[in-house]
């Protein structure tokens, strides 16, 4: 059983010390919170532990300093920090958690929120400035935990001699750490909410379907759930291609011989030429993301939609939703806004729209839409919008409750060109407008008054849900389909994207297959 070694100090007093199951840690007092960074929840997954399921952290003597974020797991380039490069320490201790708490007193028993970051299952780390959780913890008067997990080759490549979904197993290990230790930080292990965005939301959805995660959390928030889950056959084929980029066989023994930081180059190389594999990998090829959770039948027995519809999470309170213009971020970053020709839009509609006549059906449902608008709409629907909506519908089918939202407020950056794009909910939720994506979406990193108000509403809804299971709007149902529209003037309405909902009605997002 864990206990706090000292009561939280007042301003100007000694830094807070808490005893965990593995040893004592010393954090820092910051803005009225006790903050602990870089606490190991598992052993470094290197050496004999490489490509293995996470192992419990080794104990230490004395008091361990917990004032700095742990190193991020090896990953491809593209993570931007304060300096424009990966702004984090180096080292092998990738599997760490960070805690923000108003009061590290075991008697406090505050609700706990556990954040799982996104990044296409190949990028990201909990030390990114955009995930500074102080406002969530302070405004919501609760405990927030953020965590690292293995990404890319280390966490998700399907290889022989290694369990599938190692990144998801890391998340389970972090949740077990929360169960065993969070009381000492003033949290209630029986009141845990997992929340995440993009690949983090895909991870949350997977956790809802994983037997090993059962009982580790009571509530879940999934923001912009990706619909991409690989069949085992597809994942193994992609794993073979990944290993071939390094000149190796797809085995843990072969790949363990290569330094983890060098092996990331294999993922980058394959991402750059995935379109060459479209005849084998189908819809995965244009995503340039060779990593996703694998429906392996053991760690992840079924897709989240099928698992939830069968009742796997009926006792979990769920909030899920998406942003109206998800795919616009990627078009804007590629310089392709408004520049998609009709033949490319047609090919994309035929590849991603449901049913044998998806091109015609989308054009009929969106009369007058330009090729660029159709292209953006179908990719928004396929990748994030409909997977998020259908997760709620599966939860209701399985006997549970779900609340749905749609973010429609346009980001003010570049005169609103980004719209309500993918990732906009991160700076709004965390209030980190001057960090990471916030700098792109908010001119000068400064929110407008509307943005400030919406940011406060995000945190209020999310933290109240963590506390009571009620985010402040009605549950979603098959008749009225009520959702919370988050805009300058938030309102509850029937699901706004009715045209898309009808096009995708009955689709259950099966695992993506190997085509040949």
């Amino acid at each position: 059983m864990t206990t706090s070694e000292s009561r939280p100090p007042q301003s100007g007093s000694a830094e807070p010390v808490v005893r965990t199951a593995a040893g004592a840690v010393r954090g820092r007092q910051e803005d009225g919170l006790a903050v602990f960074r870089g606490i190991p929840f598992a052993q470094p997954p290197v050496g004999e532990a490489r490509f293995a399921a996470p192992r419990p952290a080794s104990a230490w003597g004395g008091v361990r300093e917990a004032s700095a974020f742990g190193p991020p797991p090896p990953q491809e380039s593209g993570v931007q920090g304060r300096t424009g490069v990966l702004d984090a320490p180096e080292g092998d201790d990738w599997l760490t958690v960070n805690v923000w708490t108003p009061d590290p007193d075991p008697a406090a028993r505050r609700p706990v929120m556990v954040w799982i970051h996104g990044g296409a299952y190949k990028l990201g780390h909990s030390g990114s400035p955009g995930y500074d959780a102080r406002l969530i913890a302070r405004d919501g008067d609760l405990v927030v935990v953020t965590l690292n997990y293995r990404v890319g080759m280390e966490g998700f490549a399907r290889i022989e001699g290694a369990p599938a979904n190692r990144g998801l197993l890391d998340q389970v290990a972090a949740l077990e750490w929360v169960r065993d230790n969070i009381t000492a930080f003033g949290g209630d292990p029986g009141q845990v909410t997992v929340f995440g965005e993009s690949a983090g939301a895909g991870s949350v959805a997977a956790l809802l379907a994983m037997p090993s995660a059962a009982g580790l959390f009571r509530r879940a928030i999934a923001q912009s759930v990706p619909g991409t889950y690989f069949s085992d056959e597809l994942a193994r084929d992609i794993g073979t291609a990944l290993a071939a980029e390094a000149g190796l066989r797809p085995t843990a023994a072969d790949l363990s011989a290569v330094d983890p930081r060098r092996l990331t180059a294999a993922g980058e190389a394959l991402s750059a030429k995935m379109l060459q594999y479209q005849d084998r990998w189908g819809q995965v090829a244009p995503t340039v993301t060779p990593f996703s959770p694998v429906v392996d039948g053991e760690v992840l027995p079924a897709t989240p939609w099928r698992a939830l519809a069968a009742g796997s999470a009926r006792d979990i309170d769920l909030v899920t939703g998406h942003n109206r213009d998800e795919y616009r971020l990627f078009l804007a970053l590629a310089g392709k806004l408004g520049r998609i020709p009709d033949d490319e839009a047609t090919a994309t509609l035929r590849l991603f729209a449901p049913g044998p006549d998806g091109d015609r059906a989308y054009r009929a449902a969106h009369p007058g839409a330009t090729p660029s608008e159709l292209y953006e709409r179908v990719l928004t629907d396929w990748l994030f919008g409909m997977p998020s909506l259908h997760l709620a519908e599966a939860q209701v089918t399985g006997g549970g409750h779900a609340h749905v939202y749609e973010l429609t407020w346009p980001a003010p950056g570049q005169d609103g060109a980004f719209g309500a794009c993918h990732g906009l909910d991160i700076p709004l939720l965390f209030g980190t407008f001057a960090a990471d994506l916030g700098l792109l979406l908010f001119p000068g990193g400064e929110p407008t008054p509307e943005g400030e108000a919406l940011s406060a509403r995000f945190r209020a809804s999310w933290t109240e849900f963590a506390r009571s299971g009620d985010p402040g709007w009605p549950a979603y149902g098959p008749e009225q389909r009520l959702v919370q529209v988050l805009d300058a003037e938030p309102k509850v309405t029937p699901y706004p994207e009715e045209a898309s909902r009808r096009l995708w009605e009955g689709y259950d997002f099966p695992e993506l297959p190997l085509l040949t």
Side-chain angles (χ1 to χ4, degrees), residues 53-320:
R55 303 174 181 181
S58 301
W60 58 84
V63 179
R64 182 185 181 113
E65 294 298 326
S67 59
F69 291 112
Q75 57 194 258
E76 300 177 24
S77 60
V79 178
Q80 300 297 308
R82 292 184 181 92
T83 62
V85 296
L86 190 61
D87 186 18
E90 294 185 358
D92 295 332
D93 214 350
W94 313 327
L95 302 182
T96 59
V97 294
N98 319 294
V99 182
W100 286 258
T101 177
D103 181 5
D105 176 5
R109 308 288 284 191
R110 285 177 168 83
V112 181
M113 298 188 74
V114 180
W115 172 254
I116 303 176
H117 69 75
Y121 305 105
K122 64 180 182 179
L123 302 170
H125 68 110
S126 62
S128 292
Y131 303 142
D132 187 318
R134 71 183 69 186
L135 292 181
I136 299 176
R138 190 180 67 198
D139 293 359
D141 190 32
L142 42 68
V143 179
V144 181
V145 178
T146 67
L147 61 97
N148 281 351
Y149 59 96
R150 281 172 285 182
V151 296
M153 293 284 284
E154 302 298 315
F156 289 95
R158 187 70 166 113
I159 57 176
E160 294 295 332
N165 301 306
R166 297 173 297 280
L168 298 179
L169 292 175
D170 293 343
Q171 296 166 17
V172 171
L175 288 167
E176 291 173 339
W177 182 93
V178 169
R179 177 196 62 198
D180 297 340
N181 294 279
I182 207 62
T183 299
F185 294 86
D188 182 352
Q191 281 271 86
V192 174
T193 297
V194 291
F195 67 130
E197 182 267 351
S198 195
S203 298
V204 168
L207 291 169
L208 291 167
M210 290 170 58
S212 61
L216 293 176
F217 56 94
R218 183 174 178 179
R219 301 186 176 101
I221 304 174
Q223 304 167 212
S224 303
V225 181
T228 52
Y229 292 77
F230 294 167
S231 69
D232 202 44
E233 296 76 16
L234 173 64
R236 290 181 184 276
D237 202 62
I238 294 175
T240 298
L242 285 163
E245 292 294 336
L248 299 168
R249 297 176 301 167
T251 68
D254 275 24
L255 294 170
S256 293
V258 180
D259 184 276
R261 293 161 192 83
R262 290 181 52 209
L263 200 56
T264 60
E268 282 191 285
L270 184 62
S271 293
K273 58 183 183 183
M274 283 180 65
L275 283 174
Q276 299 176 19
Y277 293 85
Q278 189 160 331
D279 61 334
R280 295 177 62 79
W281 300 346
Q283 293 172 325
V284 177
T287 69
V288 301
T289 302
F291 305 105
S292 275
V294 182
V295 182
D296 66 312
E298 184 176 349
V299 175
L300 184 59
T303 65
W305 300 275
R306 291 179 179 171
L308 266 63
S312 71
R314 64 166 58 96
D315 296 327
I316 304 294
D317 298 325
L318 175 65
V319 165
T320 186

Side-chain angles (χ1 to χ4, degrees), residues 362-394:
Y362 255 82
R363 292 180 188 275
H366 301 280
T370 67
S372 287
E373 290 167 343
L374 288 167
Y375 179 96
E376 179 188 322
R377 184 75 259 157
V378 72
L379 285 169
T380 288
D381 290 345
W382 174 77
L383 192 53
F384 299 113
M386 295 304 105
S388 300
L389 180 67
H390 285 214
L391 193 72
E393 293 181 343

